[in-house]
Amino acid sequence: MTQQGVRWTADQVLALAPDAASRKAGSKLGVAGPWSEAGSSDEGAVWGLCKGSGSKPYQTVVDIADAAGPAYKCSCPSRKFPCKHALGLLLLWAGDDAAVPPGRAPEWAGQWMAGRRKRVEEKKAGDGSGAPSGSADPEAARRRAERRAERVTAGAVELEQRLKDLLRGGLATAEQAGYGLWEETAARMVDAQAQGLAGRVRELGAIPATGPGWPVRLLEECALLHLLGQGWLRRERLPDCLAATVRSRIGLPASADGPPLRDRWLVLAQYDTTDSRLTTRRIWLHGADSRRTVLLLSYGAAGRAPELALPVGLALEAEVSAYPGAGRLRVALGEQFAPPAPAAIRPPGMTTSQALARYGDALREDPWLESVPVTLDRVVPAPDGGSWQLADADEDAALPITRAARSRPGLWRLVALSGGAPVRVFGECGHQGFTPLTAWSEGPGEAVALC
């Protein structure tokens, strides 16, 4: 059940948008003009008819009580989820009680909600039926795993030879060879079912001729790739936790095997990364009682947003289970006991020096780790020549803001929120600097998403 009196903010709604164009189009529909017969119910349904270009209005309904994030249904032809009509309806619901009053759902909305709830209950019943979750033939599964391990080993050996050839010929040859050589090598790693190695090889191919110091950066990445390949080839000699980390970095699948941890989880940040094959959504959660920060990953085929969506600033009571590997940051979402709702929880902060120390400690367990999640307390965004940094208000220290973050509008939202005063900022701290994802002012106020 959702609380009828608890409405989301506009930022929380817009965080659901699959892209910038959808955010812009949805914002235009977040007013009463195009809508008729809009309403909402205590069961978590929000519905309305939106005037379109045709004679019949679009029927739009959203289930906001789903603990895994809202679900949408719209009669428009858009293939985006949520479409601009669903975003507009939620913006109208978030900002105007009178425009979306409590009421009884019309038949078309009620039928969809009833069918959806039935499917959810059937799925829950199926999950608890006692049927085995693994393969029906353990011996066949073991043989498949062995065959895949053999292919990965062959790929790692081939990659080691290619790295030797590169270093023997000199790093300058990488610039002359162009990206095609790396893409071919990455394709070979895909054939070897080593997606993690393939991804790191593609990153190598993007380094040459990227500005001053690129040979040093290329050598560093080659060293990490060599370390990963050697880790796989000698995995039997590694401690169990490090071996699990190597398998994860290689790209082998794993199941969440940690004990369920129930908590009230605050959604700290949500953002997507895309390539030609896949959209990956990263959702950072913070446990109010456990004080753990964990990561949910959700995937969507190229061009489609992942199904799981949890806007920043909401909290949900749920269980999570950790995946194997160093730090055990990645988790799987288990049973949810209440739908997401706005919360005033804030994660505890630390200094910039403590953040760097945390990243250094994490590298001992996972040398390939690019960043760790941290919340900085009392920092001020400040220009630093042609760059930006987060300066600690209470000590003589600062963290540079990453180049990628400097090119996003979120930096200017952070600067505006601060106004020269200290703020609390959650983000990812790594060897390239700090990427701000969410911020809070020192006084009372809601979380501001920066990504």
Side-chain angles (χ1 to χ4, degrees), residues 66-157:
D66 192 322
Y72 321 92
K73 174 68 175 178
C74 185
S75 60
C76 76
S78 174
R79 301 179 67 179
K80 295 181 179 180
F81 293 94
C83 67
K84 63 182 181 180
H85 305 101
L87 289 170
L89 178 61
L90 286 177
L91 287 171
L92 185 66
W93 167 77
D96 190 345
D97 290 357
V100 189
R104 183 176 180 179
E107 183 178 0
W108 56 269
Q111 287 180 347
W112 179 77
M113 288 289 294
R116 175 171 171 76
R117 297 292 164 80
K118 182 179 179 181
R119 290 191 295 272
V120 170
E121 291 302 321
E122 289 174 347
K123 182 178 179 181
K124 288 182 178 179
D127 291 343
S129 63
S133 58
S135 170
D137 187 348
E139 180 61 24
R142 184 188 64 79
R143 289 196 298 269
R144 287 195 298 271
E146 288 180 350
R147 288 196 296 269
R148 180 167 187 175
E150 290 173 357
R151 286 192 288 269
V152 172
T153 297
V157 170

Side-chain angles (χ1 to χ4, degrees), residues 182-195:
W182 300 104
E183 186 57 39
E184 177 192 350
T185 305
R188 295 286 295 159
M189 297 304 104
V190 171
D191 292 341
Q193 293 187 292
Q195 295 286 355

Side-chain angles (χ1 to χ4, degrees), residues 152-170:
V152 172
T153 297
V157 170
E158 179 179 346
L159 181 59
E160 285 288 288
Q161 185 59 52
R162 296 207 176 196
L163 289 175
K164 289 179 182 177
D165 292 343
L166 171 64
L167 296 178
R168 187 178 295 113

Side-chain angles (χ1 to χ4, degrees), residues 148-149 152 193-197 228 231-232 235-236 238-254 257 324-326 368:
R148 180 167 187 175
V152 172
Q193 293 187 292
Q195 295 286 355
L197 289 178
L228 182 57
W232 170 260
R235 59 192 180 280
E236 293 85 0
L238 301 178
D240 290 343
C241 186
L242 183 56
T245 299
V246 168
R247 287 192 293 269
S248 175
R249 294 295 181 185
I250 288 287
L252 297 185
D257 60 359
W368 308 277

Side-chain angles (χ1 to χ4, degrees), residues 365-391:
E365 298 182 348
D366 184 355
W368 308 277
L369 188 65
E370 294 186 358
S371 61
V372 292
V374 296
T375 301
L376 300 176
D377 195 22
R378 292 183 51 77
V379 291
V380 181
D384 180 26
S387 182
W388 282 82
Q389 63 182 3
L390 290 175

